[in-house]
Amino acid sequence: MCTTGRTNPPTARNDWWELLGWIGLRDEGYRCGRFVRYGRGVSESALGDVHDAETYRVLDDAWNSWGRLGTDMIANLINPAFIDGPSWPAFRQALTIARRDEGLLVASSGLADPMAWNGARPTNGYEVEVFGISADLPADSDTMTAAVSWLGQTVMTVSNLVAQYGFEVPDTIARDGLITIELADARIPEQVAGTYLDDNSTVIVMAGLTDTEVPAAVAGPLSEIRLVNVKLLTVAEGRFCVHNSMGEAAACRELARRFAEQGRPLWSSLDRPSVV
């Protein structure tokens, strides 16, 4: 089933960077807790000590298979979880960047951190990391530019929705293949707002597209980690997926077919021709 998230939770917002500010961190320090890790609960204990390094390695290998993974990460100066914002599995809420000469990949970092759950087996967090790719941003964009860009904000907003709903999002993608998610108060440059923003100033993204240039999943030390692509849809594409005579699931599959035919199905761009 192709599902559109029509209710945007109050904690899943696009403007945490405005409220709290972003900070660029060397990833080695942020990962091992020497900067502002904020504590990790159960995962800070032996579970994290044993499984963190392997988790980071398999994810780094995946992003490096696409491009050149940077050494800086992007995180909020103050963790939103402390002011009623979304709480990631181990409170490590960040973005990481990989670069190619022709584009930029922005990915969540922390949704798959090792975590123990009450009454359940330990997992690699919510067993998912979210990513988006675009050629709209120069490959040498600094971490702050990537954070406040429409690409960075889209990835972070969807990541916060995963944190808000937990396993429901990756489980739905695993069951249905593709889903669409509506993002309220999206930040899109004014000159292309008519193409991507509907009358309610929302955008729709498709989550779950796969292609050979990025692995669909990696084997974490505690569980499989799904790498979920988010692709920005035009207003026409969003309407086609949600309102059509063929059914939502079939419409999602048809859009995916057209994206594959268009080329670079995992990539988003503000000047990509609509396939509808």
Side-chain angles (χ1 to χ4, degrees):
M1 178 179 180
C2 179
T3 303
T4 301
R6 289 295 174 187
T7 302
N8 193 42
T11 53
R13 55 193 299 168
N14 286 289
D15 58 351
W16 285 115
W17 65 274
E18 290 182 339
L19 297 174
L20 306 177
W22 285 99
I23 183 170
L25 303 168
R26 301 291 293 183
D27 69 358
E28 295 89 348
Y30 187 55
R31 287 175 169 180
C32 67
R34 286 191 291 269
F35 286 90
V36 285
R37 194 160 189 178
Y38 308 109
R40 297 186 53 193
V42 177
S43 183
E44 191 66 64
S45 65
L47 183 69
D49 293 341
V50 172
H51 298 297
D52 277 357
E54 178 62 11
T55 298
Y56 303 150
R57 185 193 67 78
V58 298
L59 289 168
D60 286 356
D61 286 350
W63 307 136
N64 275 319
S65 73
W66 180 87
R68 303 176 299 277
L69 186 64
T71 57
D72 291 336
M73 306 189 84
I74 310 163
N76 289 110
L77 187 60
I78 301 173
N79 196 312
F82 295 160
I83 56 170
D84 297 324
S87 178
W88 291 32
F91 292 101
R92 192 181 66 87
Q93 183 173 346
L95 297 177
T96 191
I97 301 172
R99 296 173 171 84
R100 281 183 180 176
D101 292 342
E102 75 275 22
L104 198 78
L105 181 152
V106 178
S108 62
S109 180
L111 291 173
D113 276 6
M115 194 67 185
W117 310 98
N118 292 331
R121 65 176 177 83
T123 65
N124 274 107
Y126 291 128
E127 303 179 327
V128 64
E129 295 288 0
V130 176
F131 73 97
I133 306 174
S134 182
D136 289 6
L137 301 176
D140 60 355
S141 297
D142 60 38
T143 55
M144 210 61 64
T145 298
V148 302
S149 71
W150 64 267
L151 178 64
Q153 288 300 291
T154 297
V155 171
M156 181 55 84
T157 303
V158 174
S159 300
N160 283 335
L161 281 168
V162 173
Q164 179 76 17
Y165 289 107
F167 289 102
E168 181 178 345
V169 175
D171 286 352
T172 302
I173 294 174
R175 183 185 70 239
D176 300 338
L178 297 167
I179 65 173
T180 55
I181 303 171
E182 187 177 82
L183 306 179
D185 302 319
R187 282 163 171 74
I188 297 293
E190 184 177 352
Q191 60 268 30
V192 295
T195 303
Y196 290 97
L197 290 178
D198 66 15
D199 295 338
N200 297 316
S201 295
T202 62
V203 300
I204 293 179
V205 298
M206 178 173 283
L209 288 165
T210 59
D211 190 55
T212 56
E213 67 176 311
V214 176
V218 295
L222 294 170
S223 55
E224 184 177 76
I225 303 168
R226 184 180 295 270
L227 306 182
V228 174
N229 173 260
V230 291
K231 185 180 183 76
L232 186 66
L233 302 184
T234 65
V235 172
E237 291 165 348
R239 288 173 179 164
F240 174 81
C241 194
V242 177
H243 306 292
N244 60 80
S245 60
M246 67 176 66
E248 294 181 357
C252 282
R253 291 193 297 270
E254 174 59 19
L255 275 186
R257 185 193 67 79
R258 296 184 190 185
F259 291 145
E261 191 175 77
Q262 186 179 54
R264 288 187 165 179
L266 304 184
W267 293 56
S268 295
S269 176
L270 296 179
D271 58 8
R272 176 181 62 82
S274 180
V275 298
V276 174

